[in-house]
Amino acid sequence: DPLLHQCMPSDLAAYTGMDALTHAVEAIASRLCVQSAYGPGLWAITEIFGNLRQSAMNRNNDKAIEQMVWAEMAAAYSFNSAGLGIVHSMAHVLGGRYDAPHGLCNAIGLVDVCRYNLGGCPERFKMMAEAAHIDTTGLSTYKAGEKFIDAIEALRHELGIRKNFKDLGMQAKDLEVCAKGVLNDICTEGNPQDVSMQDAKNMF
């Protein structure tokens, strides 16, 4: 119901939208390559890039809010088919330790994890760039993927999400246990790139 969505404060609307974007990105990038995830996931990316800014920043923009509700549902269809990846594994660990909003954890982790995963499926990152209406003319598949990840980072900053994991309360002494949590999380199985203990620490 868009009216329920409209009652959320702007920051929570931004976190929720970034969570949905993470659902779509991780499902499309999943090593399971579930093609039925691509349609709803790519459509969700189009709608999120087209509406999240207005949905979060103008809580009276009924049309943007309604489109975000549809996009969030479509992204859920996508990851229900294909699973997720280590952005969600990280968010699950953090939300269980620091009382940090799930969508905020995803927003913080998404860019660095995408950069890590790009080499595993650059053609799918290019698909996502095109879904976000990013001009990829003349770019290699890899460069198109990089441009999409840059757009995610820009979107996050435009929404005012500039925190990092340290801001959530994470300390160096927590790295070991958090990295173990990532390796043991079921979402890690869908990540397009293999993840070692050190890789997980580096992400945090």
Side-chain angles (χ1 to χ4, degrees):
D1 186 341
L3 292 178
L4 293 176
H5 193 290
Q6 198 164 20
C7 293
M8 292 193 296
S10 294
D11 58 349
L12 187 57
Y15 301 160
T16 302
M18 290 301 296
D19 184 25
L21 179 60
T22 307
H23 290 158
V25 170
E26 292 206 291
I28 293 166
S30 169
R31 73 168 64 212
L32 301 180
C33 299
V34 180
Q35 294 185 33
S36 61
Y38 300 167
L42 292 169
W43 185 86
I45 288 170
T46 300
E47 295 303 309
I48 290 167
F49 271 89
N51 293 284
L52 179 53
R53 293 172 181 84
Q54 276 300 309
S55 171
M57 295 175 185
N58 180 0
R59 304 305 290 146
N60 292 314
N61 189 325
D62 296 344
K63 184 60 177 175
I65 290 170
E66 182 174 2
Q67 288 309 110
M68 280 304 302
V69 172
W70 286 114
E72 288 160 3
M73 186 169 72
Y77 288 158
S78 186
F79 91 79
N80 191 54
S81 296
L84 295 163
I86 62 169
V87 183
H88 269 80
S89 302
M90 293 166 71
H92 294 158
V93 171
L94 293 167
R97 293 181 65 83
Y98 306 111
D99 193 29
H102 177 70
L104 173 59
C105 294
N106 282 331
I108 294 171
L110 182 57
V111 169
D112 286 336
V113 172
C114 281
R115 295 199 195 286
Y116 178 79
N117 284 333
L118 176 58
C121 52
E123 71 290 344
R124 280 179 270 158
F125 276 92
K126 181 179 181 180
M127 285 167 45
M128 291 188 273
E130 291 168 348
H133 296 311
I134 294 167
D135 184 5
T136 61
T137 305
L139 296 180
S140 68
T141 300
Y142 193 91
K143 286 293 185 183
E146 285 185 325
K147 204 165 182 181
F148 175 64
I149 299 167
D150 290 342
I152 295 174
E153 187 165 31
L155 175 61
R156 186 184 77 164
H157 287 168
E158 287 174 39
L159 293 169
I161 303 174
R162 298 176 180 270
K163 292 182 178 180
N164 57 38
F165 292 135
K166 186 176 181 180
D167 295 328
L168 301 183
M170 191 172 192
Q171 301 177 45
K173 65 181 178 64
D174 301 330
L175 282 173
E176 187 83 11
V177 67
C178 287
K180 285 181 180 177
V182 167
L183 296 185
N184 290 328
D185 193 284
I186 192 169
C187 291
T188 298
E189 295 180 12
N191 203 71
Q193 298 273 54
D194 290 337
V195 183
S196 69
M197 187 75 169
Q198 189 58 51
D199 292 330
K201 289 181 181 179
N202 292 342
M203 295 297 168
F204 285 122

